[in-house]
Amino acid sequence: MKLPTLIAAINLHLDRDEVVVVQLVSTAESILDRRLDSLSPEERAELDLDLSPLDAVIEYLERAFPTQQMQVFVDDTGTQRSAPMFDEEGRPVHNQTAIARRSEMIEHLCAMPPIKPALDGIIEHYGPEKVAEVTGRSKRLITQSDGQQRLETRSPRTNQSETDQFMDGRKPILVFSDAGGTGRSYHASLDAACQKRRIHFLLEPGWRADRAIQGLGRTHRTHQAYTPLFRPVTTNCKGELRFTSTIARRLDSLGALTRGQRQTGGQNLFDPADNLESEYAKAALSTWFALLAHGKLKSATLIDFQRRSGLKIVSEDGILEEDLPPIQRWLNRILALPIGMQNAIFEEFLGLVEARVSAAREAGSLDVGVETMRVEQAEVVEDIVLRTDERTGATSHLLQLALKTRARPISLERVLERRDYADGCILLHNTKSGKAALAEPSRHFMTEQGELIRRVILHRPLRREYHHFDDLAESAWEEAPRGTFENLWQSEVAELAERLTTETVYLATGLLLPIWSSLPIDYLEVRRIVDEEGRSWLGRMVHELDVAKLLEKFDIATTVELSPDTIIKALGEGRTVPIKQPFEATFKCSRVAGEKRYEIVGAAAEQLPWLKSIGCFTEIIAFRTRVFIPSRSAISVIGALLRA
């Protein structure tokens, strides 16, 4: 992200009456010291310094740019090799063409406009009266209103003064580094004068994930009015995902090790697909290696990739190696490739990761930790004790909760801000339903055959939907003028704002470890339910379909009647619903000729006339009679079947 883009993002949040915290790894004080040491007394009187790291880049080019001539020779085995060339006196021979190219590159770099460091660029743009700097540096350059530079000396007490001004609301922006973040708190404390929401920008995460995580904890603490919004900042170089991935993995590990809420670690800062060292990423890398070996990738060829990266993918016989390079080594080697090649490789790799994560999410097996579910009102309808520990007396419970939830749709202003902020967004309306949506390009899928499938996210007032780009073109969604989109969105938001829904959920809570294996393994959702009165319940969700089986395991006699709405909702989630009355059968959602249908599996032949009489219909497919329930009358048909 360029500095003007970062400033535009900061302005967006300041306009929302929020305050901004920017986390840096280090400051440019060492560059300032070097610049000052090189000045004469006369030059110090008229400061005109550039603090961009240009000198370090030039020094690197002068020292590391290869200019020594190489000579080719044949060794004892007949293999051609190269070695540095020296003259008769032992002095290195340099290639004049390489020296000229180095000089041209240095000349070009020195002619480019200087790039301001983020810290000084933010202070220069907003002014020191709006930016609190807690970096620990002893001096800094301040650009005055007349354009002249002034050297300002800072004492050790300055950090505390700047922190106080930010926490009091006198300065809306705070920039801190590793040196300034130790032992301080910048959260929206209930004891602070400024309790506005903190927007935490993370710049330059670097290799030290522990430092980045420690900095994130400065704005998120207990006893706060609002939780912060974390925003990692990267450029369009995909290789930087290597660094944010390390932070994502460390946060996931932190959440897995804590006994409390999983969000204590990750706070949903990263999508599971952002962790490039997860099980999904490792499986995706194996597929990527196989596609590379079979020549099905567009980013690189096998020979070129092995030559550039130094990784051995296939044996001399052209077969994939048994011990393929681990993902950490692969990620590190990718960083040495040209930027264009990096981006192309990551595009394919992330497509494979996204496909696996989405499949796990749809199957309900994706571990997202604890999700907080906020409701208007929650009441305990029934409290069933499943188990009592003989030694400690601790109990395991199954709670039946009645939840009342009010819809919280996204406002028109926020969705239009999303459109202006993200690239490639399109305003849509549905010609059949009359609803509005914002289409935003999403990560592509990559199939096991190496084919990239374009996807988009449809932002709706209450949810987000993923669609294949080609399927969207054939649907009822069409591009809409801004006025039409605004009217449709506002009317749907107004309708949803008045809606109060009621649902019943089952939550296993209390001492869960002894009964964990008894809970259904195909439904792994851990929720914290919080109502408006501040009451909360933490536990593992139990689907209504699994309640009867769970109670049978603990020899608890009870009757759980499934409603037609519950069965249809379960079928929509891809679950199967077994029934025992009036006969043993199973409800499932099947796809026939590209169409989803509700099907009754296991119905005896003598039951067919009765099933047809209550509204079912049959089809002979592959010489087998199958029974289906019409979608339009599914509730009445299932209700009649359950009452029989």
Side-chain angles (χ1 to χ4, degrees), residues 135-202:
T135 60
R137 59 178 180 173
S138 59
K139 50 184 171 294
R140 65 180 183 180
L141 277 179
I142 297 296
T143 302
Q144 303 177 102
S145 57
D146 57 359
Q148 298 294 320
Q149 292 181 334
R150 173 175 57 86
L151 186 63
E152 180 181 279
T153 304
R154 299 165 61 82
S155 68
R157 296 182 179 179
T158 306
N159 285 342
Q160 185 59 51
S161 173
E162 296 277 71
T163 302
D164 293 341
Q165 293 183 68
F166 173 75
M167 298 298 286
D168 292 344
R170 286 174 282 168
K171 293 187 176 183
I173 303 172
L174 180 138
V175 183
F176 77 95
S177 65
D178 290 344
T182 305
R184 301 186 185 276
S185 298
Y186 310 125
H187 64 301
S189 173
L190 295 175
D191 298 329
C194 179
Q195 298 179 9
K196 298 178 181 179
R197 188 182 188 188
R198 272 59 170 160
I199 310 300
H200 190 136
F201 288 90
L202 173 62

Side-chain angles (χ1 to χ4, degrees), residues 597-630:
R597 295 184 182 179
Y598 300 135
E599 182 177 3
I600 303 176
V601 180
E606 57 269 17
Q607 300 290 343
L608 295 182
W610 178 74
L611 289 173
K612 290 181 179 179
S613 69
I614 64 173
C616 297
F617 68 94
T618 62
E619 283 188 17
I620 299 176
I621 301 174
F623 304 102
R624 186 163 60 92
T625 301
R626 298 172 64 176
V627 184
F628 300 99
I629 303 173

Side-chain angles (χ1 to χ4, degrees), residues 113-126:
I115 301 175
K116 294 183 180 297
L119 174 59
D120 295 291
I122 292 173
I123 294 176
E124 180 177 330
H125 180 82
Y126 293 101

